[in-house]
Amino acid sequence: MTQAPDKAKERLSQISTHLKPDSQPNVLPGSDMGKDVLLKKSPDDVVVTCAIRSPFTKAGKGQLKDTMAADLLAYTFENLISKSKIDPNLVEDIVTGCVLAPGGGATEYRAAALAAGFPDTTAVKSLNRQCSSGLQACVDIANQIKTGMIEIGIGSGVESMSTQYGPGAVTEFSDLLENHMQAANCKVPMGVLSEQMAKDRKVTRADQDAFAASSYQKAVKAQEQGLFDEEIMPVTVKYTNPKTDEEKTVTVTKDDGVRPGITAESLSKIRAAFAKDGSIHAGNASQVTDGASAVLLMKRSTAERLGQTILGKFVNASVVGVPPLLMGIGPWKAIPVVLEKAGISKDDVDIYEINEAFASQCVWCLKELGLDEKKVNPKGGAIAFGHPLGCTGARQVGTLLTELRRTGQKIGVSSMCVGTGMGMAAVWVAE
């Protein structure tokens, strides 16, 4: 759904008025006391004992293209049960993030949990906070555990962009919404507004392509070294070859978007997607992808009693609003808020997992926050292996904790921008 050209142009021209120097979020100085407190262990800590995902494959092309979202979710739940060895009867609630499914996927995701082996006593909820849905699902479960509402739960996310991506995912706006400036801005296509923001904030195509090439190169190296193996669980599905129309059963084991040989120079040859003189294109934006992820959470005391391996703990989270036309700046605003809640500084964080919706917004956020690029997405990100919308936030938890543990580091932050103008972030500590 697009806006009339003159109206869209008028709204996009607002971008330059929204970011002013005095709107910079606070970034706290370092605090050894805050970090020491963060690293302490308590029986009441909300911990992660298993965090897995399916492989990610290209929408419409990859080997998951014919698999419905609910089926992919069911397979991922089965894999979570198998890997964690949790008794399904102990899981009290499951929250699943999803963006595109009609009705939020509520009915089919409850069915998916039952098909995966959870009893009818396990409750299921679906939610949609756009690109942060998977993280919001994990945070909802963590907060339920903190308040004593449940003892054990699963935060998860799924998206079949092959079967559900397109204009039908957004309903037409009423006159009430269409005639309200900020409300109408919520439907400006993200690629269009990201292009305009890149121009306004002077994020060059060269910088975007360099960032994107680095994402690919890191992901290729990580895949070659088997660094995704701990988080990815294979799935066996039916796949129809689009050229021969032959259906066969395949076992999908790895992300298919990771491509070797990508350089800033090779990306510079791709035509811009949203403007003739633009800078955003298919090579420096997140891939349209299918995938599912799931994270098992409980209190530390519960994990120890059950003999569950503790991967890390959830500390806290932030969610913020930003102007709809500037949705890409979400991490810039959300990360300082969550760091302040945790009592730590940006330099106390060992690894940042920041969703690569567009290279343009990542480059801008990293620069404005003053983050060390070596700490950001060390195994690549959504540009290299994809962004199944409702899944990514839960995927990041597993990617982050496994890398922190592998490298002997402790503190991590996951974050993303959110469509319609929001940002979300969370702090995690590995064990």
Side-chain angles (χ1 to χ4, degrees):
M1 273 174 269
T2 58
Q3 309 239 350
D6 57 341
K7 190 176 289 188
K9 186 175 180 180
E10 175 190 349
R11 287 168 180 160
L12 289 168
S13 70
Q14 301 170 60
I15 287 180
S16 62
T17 67
H18 280 308
L19 283 183
K20 300 178 181 179
D22 61 0
S23 63
Q24 173 71 40
N26 293 323
V27 180
L28 295 181
S31 170
D32 290 338
M33 184 177 296
K35 186 174 181 179
D36 289 343
V37 170
L38 205 65
L39 297 177
K40 286 183 178 179
K41 298 178 182 179
S42 164
D44 291 331
D45 288 338
V46 176
V47 300
V48 174
T49 65
C50 189
I52 65 162
R53 66 177 175 94
S54 73
F56 288 177
T57 68
K58 298 175 187 176
K61 300 177 182 178
Q63 292 183 323
L64 296 177
K65 71 180 180 66
D66 302 310
T67 304
M68 295 295 103
D71 291 1
L72 187 54
L73 186 64
Y75 299 147
T76 302
F77 287 159
E78 288 176 352
N79 284 331
L80 183 78
I81 294 170
S82 174
K83 184 168 185 175
S84 69
K85 296 181 170 52
I86 190 70
D87 179 354
N89 293 287
L90 298 178
V91 177
E92 295 162 273
D93 197 14
I94 297 172
V95 180
T96 298
C98 184
V99 177
L100 303 175
T107 301
E108 56 264 44
Y109 300 159
R110 163 69 164 164
L114 295 170
F118 290 102
D120 55 18
T121 54
T122 300
V124 178
K125 176 181 78 172
S126 66
L127 63 79
N128 181 358
R129 197 194 288 276
Q130 305 227 35
C131 300
S132 67
S133 297
L135 176 57
Q136 186 67 64
C138 294
V139 171
D140 277 13
I141 289 294
N143 287 336
Q144 288 185 60
I145 294 169
K146 278 187 174 184
T147 62
M149 182 175 174
I150 63 172
E151 192 172 7
I152 299 174
I154 294 171
S156 59
V158 67
E159 211 72 67
S160 173
M161 299 185 78
S162 290
T163 62
Q164 295 173 328
Y165 186 55
V170 181
T171 58
E172 290 290 344
F173 273 20
S174 66
D175 289 343
L176 173 66
L177 303 184
E178 195 67 65
N179 293 323
H180 184 283
M181 181 67 76
Q182 281 289 65
N185 288 342
C186 289
K187 61 183 276 190
V188 176
M190 285 187 284
V192 173
L193 63 86
S194 294
E195 182 68 72
Q196 187 64 33
M197 178 188 161
K199 289 179 181 178
D200 186 75
R201 295 294 99 191
K202 295 179 173 55
V203 182
T204 67
R205 170 153 180 174
D207 285 347
Q208 294 174 58
D209 287 347
F211 180 89
S214 176
S215 180
Y216 275 108
Q217 292 159 9
K218 288 184 289 186
V220 168
K221 184 177 180 180
Q223 192 175 69
E224 290 174 345
Q225 294 179 347
L227 302 188
F228 295 116
D229 293 354
E230 189 175 344
E231 65 185 85
I232 293 178
M233 297 288 285
V235 293
T236 300
V237 299
K238 294 287 182 64
Y239 166 76
T240 300
N241 187 310
K243 294 182 179 179
T244 64
D245 209 31
E246 176 191 3
E247 182 183 81
K248 57 183 179 179
T249 299
V250 296
T251 298
V252 190
T253 61
K254 65 180 183 179
D255 303 327
D256 71 359
V258 179
R259 300 197 298 273
I262 300 294
T263 65
E265 183 181 3
S266 67
L267 292 176
S268 70
K269 299 174 183 178
I270 301 175
R271 186 188 311 173
F274 302 102
K276 287 184 179 179
D277 61 342
S279 59
I280 297 174
H281 54 81
N284 62 22
S286 56
Q287 296 184 34
V288 180
T289 312
D290 303 324
S293 53
V295 180
L296 180 62
L297 299 110
M298 63 192 72
K299 280 191 177 180
R300 182 183 299 278
S301 56
T302 304
E304 292 174 346
R305 173 168 53 84
L306 296 175
Q308 288 277 309
T309 299
I310 297 175
L311 304 181
K313 71 176 180 180
F314 167 77
V315 179
N316 50 32
S318 65
V319 62
V320 300
V322 298
L325 292 181
L326 294 169
M327 68 90 202
I329 72 171
W332 167 78
K333 190 169 182 181
I335 289 173
V337 174
V338 81
L339 293 180
E340 183 172 8
K341 290 178 184 292
I344 58 174
S345 79
K346 65 180 182 181
D347 297 324
D348 291 325
V349 178
D350 297 307
I351 296 177
Y352 290 88
E353 272 290 328
I354 300 177
N355 187 42
E356 298 171 353
F358 298 91
S360 58
Q361 51 91 204
C362 282
V363 169
W364 189 87
C365 288
L366 268 56
K367 180 181 178 182
E368 292 300 311
L369 288 172
L371 301 185
D372 181 351
E373 289 189 25
K374 293 179 181 178
K375 292 184 174 185
V376 179
N377 302 350
K379 294 188 285 191
I383 289 172
F385 49 75
H387 174 30
L389 305 176
C391 167
T392 291
R395 186 276 300 170
Q396 288 179 314
V397 178
T399 304
L400 179 60
L401 290 178
T402 54
E403 185 64 8
L404 285 169
R405 284 162 56 85
R406 185 186 74 84
T407 56
Q409 300 181 95
K410 289 294 182 183
I411 300 174
V413 167
S414 60
S415 184
M416 68 285 293
C417 61
V418 182
T420 70
M422 290 177 278
M424 193 168 184
V427 174
W428 309 84
V429 176
E431 306 237 331

